[in-house]
Amino acid sequence: MGLPLRKSKVCPPPTCPLTKSLLLLRGAWAPNVIWALSGEPRRFGELRHDIPMISARVLSARLRELEIRGLVSRHLLDTSPPSAEYTLTPLGREMMPAIKALIAIGHKLPEVDRREAKIARGTSIAGRLAA
């Protein structure tokens, strides 16, 4: 006979504020996009320049998702050809202290060696041997 399951006293899962906050940042590159918008409004091409490793497709998807979540606003510019400018909303600006805290921790971490970087990208040695 196993041990009885104990209920968590920390935070009930359906309404946990931590989970709700982290859901705002879900998606690859979402924190990077928010960081890039923290200084001033940016156009799509400027964001691509600011985050060189992101593809246009992923950036477009992330901007749409962040706009739906209320972190980013999109303003159409009266230019030829038409263009849009992206800015952080007040809710997006509220995320900045959390992102800055993550950046501060990142600066304290030791440099990742090549092998760990390959594992993080999904090209581990075991994966290459199996192929």
Side-chain angles (χ1 to χ4, degrees), residues 122-131:
T123 58
S124 66
I125 296 169
R128 285 185 286 162
L129 293 175

Side-chain angles (χ1 to χ4, degrees), residues 11-20:
C11 185
T15 60
C16 181
L18 176 62
T19 301
K20 289 195 304 190

Side-chain angles (χ1 to χ4, degrees), residues 13 29-30 36-37 39 42 47 59 78 80 92 109-111 130:
W29 300 101
L37 290 172
R42 307 294 282 164
L47 288 169
L59 177 57
D78 189 23
S80 180
L109 297 175
E111 290 297 317

